[in-house]
Amino acid sequence: MFNFRMRKRSAMDPGAETIVRVAAATVCAVCNAGSFASAARASACDFCSKGNFQASDSASFCVSCPDGSYTNATGAGSSSECQVQDQKLDISLVLGGSQEYFSSKSVQDNISLALSKVLDVPLKQVVFTSLSPVSSSRRQQGSTRLVFTVTTDTFGSQKILARNDLLPAINTMLVKMSLPTAISMEASPVQGNQGQGDSGQAVNVGLVVGCVVGGLAFVGLVAGVVYWRLFPVRSQRVYHE
């Protein structure tokens, strides 16, 4: 809203002038695709935030991208700007055999090939990560744990995690390739930097607790001073006969 001034002559005194402020109507913004007006009479437009889009003009809201997709920039004006995001899964296999045997790159490459066929992902998206001996149970003694990182999209990872026949399917492929079968298997999404977020949250909690304790100590100190000023401690004299 903006104001302008208009001079008005007084009927009582024609020679006098009175300044009158007249409020003009608000100029409403016309928002293009990728933006919206946050209020009915807004004079400015806001860009759609990341993960949202708006394909129409003069909109008052933005639309969320479909599940599994996201926009990496603000102001998306079409659903085509919502891109499917990559999702990494850790596939942990416990296979019968020594660590020396599975240290062979050719064996690791063959297991990666078996996983790519079972999971229906390109071979280059299956990467061997680590191996370690397993001795947690009698059944797994003498076994080795191998971890592979599989890169797929959000829909692909959900499909993999929802499969109940994953271990039998992997073992069937390993047998066809003359490789040891897996005793157990675990599939889990790679969480990224979640640990850093947890540590940050712990620091914040520590700061809050510290502030609360310090505040209580300060209040106690003030209360003690006030009490001492209002009710001073009188010295006691002890008389001896």
Side-chain angles (χ1 to χ4, degrees), residues 85-91 109-128 148-161 163 166 170 173:
Q85 300 295 294
D86 287 342
Q87 175 71 60
K88 292 185 177 182
L89 296 176
D90 276 343
I91 306 296
D109 291 343
N110 286 333
I111 297 176
S112 297
L113 179 60
L115 289 175
S116 70
K117 291 182 177 180
V118 173
L119 303 178
D120 193 23
V121 296
L123 178 59
K124 63 180 180 180
Q125 295 178 201
V126 181
V127 179
F128 168 75
F148 297 83
T149 300
V150 178
T151 301
T152 180
D153 55 42
T154 306
F155 301 106
S157 64
Q158 292 175 353
K159 183 179 178 180
I160 292 172
L161 295 173
R163 290 184 59 175
L166 203 53
I170 292 174
M173 186 60 64

Side-chain angles (χ1 to χ4, degrees), residues 7 18-19 25 28 30 32 42 57 126 130 135 152 164 166 178 182 192 194 197 202 206 208 212 215:
R7 295 183 181 275
T18 303
I19 296 177
C28 297
V30 178
N32 297 323
D57 296 335
V126 181
S130 64
S135 58
T152 180
N164 296 323
L166 203 53
S178 300
Q194 185 177 3
V208 172
V212 171

Side-chain angles (χ1 to χ4, degrees), residues 27-32 34-49 54 57-62:
V27 178
C28 297
V30 178
C31 299
N32 297 323
S35 62
F36 69 103
S38 57
R41 299 177 65 84
S43 58
C45 301
D46 296 323
F47 287 114
C48 294
S49 59
Q54 178 53 258
D57 296 335
S58 304
S60 59
F61 61 92
C62 292

Side-chain angles (χ1 to χ4, degrees), residues 1 30 38 40 65 75 79 108 119 125 128 135 144 158 160 162 173 180 183 191 196 206 211 225 237:
M1 180 177 290
V30 178
S38 57
C65 288
S79 60
Q108 297 169 5
L119 303 178
Q125 295 178 201
F128 168 75
S135 58
T144 304
Q158 292 175 353
I160 292 172
M173 186 60 64
I183 300 173
Q191 298 298 327
Q196 296 181 1
C211 292
V225 172
R237 295 182 180 181

Side-chain angles (χ1 to χ4, degrees), residues 48-53 65 68-76 78 80-86:
C48 294
S49 59
K50 293 181 180 180
N52 299 274
F53 71 95
C65 288
S69 61
Y70 195 77
T71 59
N72 293 319
T74 59
S78 172
S80 61
E81 297 185 50
C82 297
Q83 301 295 322
V84 176
Q85 300 295 294
D86 287 342

